[in-house]
């Protein structure tokens, strides 16, 4: 058997079997808090442990979940009268608070054609593009945190459906007697569920809570918590701020709808915290392959 001699003080020497030394070496140079231990315990403990996401399952899950979300959201009775009455109440409440600024922002931005057209397309596209991009980034670079962070998004969206059912709300652009400009209709931009034939496929009175805010803040917090480059983290924080300006300027939401979106997001984080025992961003970045003590998933980005 081969041996390795290690120098020690006073000229003494000890020997350690090579096999034993190899076993004592660390399995990964990754920091301890970046590696998830192999799950132990009962079935529930194994279910709650971070695990390697499977691409085919995630694609199927996201597709089915969004289809279900759209189906339920659009199947909720529109309740036009209740939605308009609720919009009047929201508008009066904001005036009472001295914060009814949506109409001024809507008119000011609408006076700059290129700006409002850009915001219309922003509203119609980035809501989906950025959210999916963050999910893909999490899947590739933070597999140990992916499932928990995805759970936040799904729980947020699920509770929003309850809000659509219990509190139908017309957006400012559809208020009776309001002076808001429906920027999509005026500028004839494509892609919005509020325009053209698409408006007949979407519930126009599901403005509370705003998932544009719920999803954008989820994206922003995730990017800020996990990205390494400072300018990327700053962009993450700016994204929901710009989104708030867009939903108000296009008259698609009251600012109080944004508050509703934040409350839904807080619920989503609470669900993930209860299930995993910690916030998603505090979970290990990498996880062992399923059913083994390793190898560790590769660390990226």
């Amino acid at each position: 058997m081969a041996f390795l001699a290690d120098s020690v003080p006073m000229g003494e020497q000890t020997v350690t079997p090579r096999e034993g030394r190899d076993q004592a070496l660390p399995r990964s140079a990754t920091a301890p808090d970046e590696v998830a231990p192999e799950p132990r315990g009962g079935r529930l403990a194994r279910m709650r442990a971070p695990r390697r996401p499977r691409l085919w399952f995630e694609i199927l899950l996201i597709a089915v979940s969004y289809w279900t979300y759209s189906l339920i959201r659009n199947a909720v009775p529109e309740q036009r009268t209740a939605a308009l009455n609720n919009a009047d109440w929201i508008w009066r409440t904001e005036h009472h608070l001295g914060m009814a600024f949506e109409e001024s922002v809507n008119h000011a931005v609408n006076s700059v054609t290129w700006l409002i057209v850009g915001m219309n397309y922003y509203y119609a596209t980035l809501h989906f593009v950025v959210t999916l991009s963050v999910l893909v980034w999490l899947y590739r670079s933070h597999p140990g945190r992916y499932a928990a962070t995805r759970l936040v998004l799904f729980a947020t969206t699920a509770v929003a459906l309850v809000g659509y059912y219990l509190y139908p709300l017309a957006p400012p652009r559809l208020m009776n007697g309001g002076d808001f400009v429906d920027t999509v209709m005026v500028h004839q931009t494509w892609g919005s569920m509020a325009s053209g034939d698409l408006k007949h496929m979407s519930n126009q009175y599901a403005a509370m809570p705003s998932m544009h805010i719920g999803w954008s803040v989820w994206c922003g917090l995730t990017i800020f918590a996990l990205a390494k480059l400072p300018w990327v983290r700053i962009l993450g924080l700016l994204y929901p701020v710009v989104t708030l300006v867009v939903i108000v300027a296009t008259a698609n939401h009251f600012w109080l709808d944004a508050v509703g979106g934040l409350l839904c997001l807080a619920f989503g984080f609470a669900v993930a915290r209860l299930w995993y025992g910690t916030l998603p961003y505090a979970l290990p970045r990498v996880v062992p392959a399923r059913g083994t003590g390793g190898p560790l998933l590769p660390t990226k980005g």
Side-chain angles (χ1 to χ4, degrees):
M1 180 180 296
F3 293 90
L4 289 177
D6 293 325
S7 297
V8 295
M10 304 301 294
E12 298 179 0
Q13 290 188 336
T14 60
V15 291
T16 303
R18 181 180 297 274
E19 291 85 345
R21 183 178 176 112
D22 290 343
Q23 293 172 0
L25 291 174
R27 296 178 52 202
S28 172
T30 310
D33 62 344
E34 291 288 287
V35 180
E38 178 71 7
R40 293 181 174 85
R43 180 181 178 87
L44 181 60
R46 290 194 297 271
M47 290 175 60
R48 296 171 66 181
R51 65 185 61 197
R52 178 178 184 174
R54 293 166 292 181
L55 181 59
W56 68 267
F57 177 79
E58 294 304 325
I59 293 175
L60 180 63
L61 179 63
I62 292 171
V64 171
S65 297
Y66 184 73
W67 176 80
T68 304
Y69 164 74
S70 299
L71 183 67
I72 295 175
R73 180 181 184 271
N74 297 332
V76 171
E78 288 197 347
Q79 304 180 62
R80 181 174 184 274
T81 300
L84 291 172
N85 289 338
N86 288 336
D88 289 338
W89 184 87
I90 290 284
W91 193 227
R92 289 195 305 270
T93 299
E94 291 188 353
H95 274 91
H96 180 72
L97 295 173
M99 298 182 68
F101 52 77
E102 290 93 338
E103 191 174 281
S104 298
V105 174
N106 173 239
H107 283 254
V109 176
N110 187 65
S111 65
V112 184
T113 302
W114 66 266
L115 181 58
I116 193 60
V117 168
M119 286 190 174
N120 283 342
Y121 287 124
Y122 180 113
Y123 184 87
T125 60
L126 290 193
H127 178 51
F128 306 104
V129 172
V130 175
T131 304
L132 286 174
S133 297
V134 172
L135 281 170
V136 171
W137 171 61
L138 281 170
Y139 176 88
R140 290 176 56 85
S141 299
H142 297 268
R145 297 161 180 155
Y146 173 85
T149 313
R150 186 242 292 140
L151 176 61
V152 174
L153 183 66
F154 279 33
T156 297
T157 306
V159 76
L161 292 172
V162 179
Y164 299 146
Y165 184 86
L166 296 178
Y167 196 78
L169 179 68
R173 60 186 173 78
L174 295 182
M175 284 180 62
N176 287 329
D179 194 29
F180 288 92
V181 178
D182 189 335
T183 61
V184 170
M185 296 301 295
V186 168
H187 299 281
Q188 294 296 302
T189 50
W190 57 264
S192 172
M193 296 301 288
S195 64
D197 294 335
L198 291 176
K199 68 183 179 182
H200 302 299
M201 301 168 56
S202 176
N203 186 351
Q204 299 297 293
Y205 302 111
M208 172 66 85
S210 169
M211 280 299 92
H212 272 75
I213 292 300
W215 289 11
S216 67
V217 174
W218 175 87
C219 291
L221 290 177
T222 300
I223 293 170
F224 180 77
L226 301 180
K228 293 182 178 180
L229 297 176
W231 66 269
V232 175
R233 301 180 73 201
I234 292 173
L235 284 180
L237 293 181
L238 287 177
Y239 173 55
V241 175
V242 175
T243 300
L244 176 60
V245 175
V246 168
I247 68 172
V248 169
T250 56
N252 279 293
H253 288 282
F254 298 98
W255 67 264
L256 280 176
D257 300 344
V259 175
L262 291 176
L263 291 176
C264 290
L265 183 62
F267 172 83
F269 273 107
V271 170
R273 176 67 173 80
L274 288 172
W275 181 252
Y276 287 97
T278 186
L279 291 176
Y281 312 133
L283 289 169
R285 182 181 179 188
V286 293
V287 292
R290 185 171 302 178
T292 70
L296 297 175
L297 287 178
T299 302
K300 298 182 180 180

